[in-house]
Amino acid sequence: MRYSLAVAAIVGAVAARPQGYGHRHEHPGKVYHTNVVVETVVKYVTMTEGYGAPSNPTPTPEPVYQAPPPPVIETIVYQAPPPAPSAVYDSPPIIEQPTPTPEAPAAPAYTPPAYTPPPAAPAYTPPPAAPAPSADEPAYMATINKWRSAMGKPTLAYNTTLQAIVDVEVKEMNGALTHVTKPGVYGQVVAPGQSTDFGGVWLAGWVCEVPDTPGVGEQTCKDALAKNNFNHEGQTDHNEICTAERYKGVACGNYKGMWACDFTLYE
């Protein structure tokens, strides 16, 4: 339901002086006329039942920008769940199987090898006879050429010039096991031995440095070394000189139990 109220307001005001009056001159003891005007103003206010009386709206203030508050950083710590228990593998018990013992194979029947008789020893062939020495040759020349012929080597000539040289050399050696050579000598061998045993010195001292020298034989060298105790100390150069084919002449001498033989390229 709507209703209206009338409100009267009396406003008093002092009227102005009548027109025609000039400037006001106040005089003491005089009364001036004053007009009072009364104005009645009627205002209507419309009220709606159920609502309060309208009020003057409050002016909406201008929005003032406010910076948003700083973000709140929140640290969340996650606790890892405890690890799940791992399954423990329980291996089954190991049952040792007995190792079978292999049966040893039967040994084959023994068959003795057929007997083979050793080869027959070669028939001994004596060395060819050395040429008979001449009347002016010393006896050692027969021994030298006998074994050189047996070895298939050419015989050597007796050299009288070389004989004079070797006789000087052995005297200068004076029984010592050493080498003394003069011009014209191309090879020399020296060994101790008696003047009457040139054959033992030739074989045991020089040629049998190589026991299996062709034409001599190991047994011959074994017998010669059994009679003459020579230590060759692995040397073979004396054998090489005595069996060389490049030499043509030879001469030997002995002094104070020391033999020396000189070889030359000339007869």
Side-chain angles (χ1 to χ4, degrees):
M1 182 178 63
R2 303 180 61 180
Y3 59 93
S4 298
L5 296 179
V7 179
I10 299 175
V11 178
V14 177
R17 285 189 293 271
Q19 295 181 0
Y21 282 63
H23 293 283
R24 178 180 179 178
H25 297 277
E26 294 183 358
H27 296 276
K30 288 185 176 183
V31 177
Y32 295 92
H33 297 278
T34 300
N35 294 325
V36 178
V37 179
V38 177
E39 181 180 6
T40 300
V41 180
V42 178
K43 293 184 179 182
Y44 294 90
V45 178
T46 303
M47 301 292 292
T48 302
E49 184 180 2
Y51 295 91
S55 61
N56 293 331
T58 303
T60 302
E62 292 293 331
V64 178
Y65 174 77
Q66 293 184 354
V72 178
I73 300 175
E74 182 179 0
T75 302
I76 302 176
V77 179
Y78 292 94
Q79 184 176 2
S86 58
V88 178
Y89 174 72
D90 188 6
S91 60
I94 300 175
I95 300 176
E96 295 185 0
Q97 299 293 334
T99 303
T101 303
E103 296 182 358
Y110 173 73
T111 302
Y115 173 74
T116 302
Y124 174 72
T125 303
S134 62
D136 58 348
E137 287 182 357
Y140 63 77
M141 287 300 301
T143 302
I144 293 174
N145 287 325
K146 168 190 171 182
W147 289 109
R148 281 184 66 90
S149 297
M151 293 182 289
K153 307 298 180 181
T155 59
L156 299 177
Y158 173 63
N159 191 300
T160 56
T161 302
L162 207 59
Q163 183 66 64
I165 294 174
V166 72
D167 287 342
V168 173
E169 291 171 345
V170 292
K171 287 181 180 179
E172 291 184 7
M173 293 176 192
N174 197 27
L177 184 61
T178 184
H179 286 278
V180 177
T181 57
K182 302 295 182 180
V185 176
Y186 292 88
Q188 184 183 75
V189 290
V190 178
Q194 298 300 318
S195 60
T196 58
D197 189 23
F198 179 78
V201 174
W202 174 264
L203 286 177
W206 300 325
V207 175
C208 287
E209 282 182 342
V210 181
D212 57 349
T213 299
V216 177
E218 294 186 16
Q219 188 59 48
T220 301
C221 285
K222 185 180 295 185
D223 295 341
L225 291 171
K227 296 177 182 179
N228 300 273
N229 187 19
F230 282 97
N231 183 6
H232 299 131
E233 298 180 352
Q235 299 181 78
T236 59
D237 52 341
H238 298 88
N239 174 281
E240 191 276 330
I241 292 174
C242 293
T243 60
E245 297 183 6
R246 63 182 176 275
Y247 299 123
K248 305 300 181 181
V250 66
C252 301
N254 182 283
Y255 183 77
K256 292 186 177 181
M258 191 62 62
W259 277 99
C261 290
D262 288 348
F263 295 80
T264 183
L265 302 178
Y266 309 100
E267 295 184 355

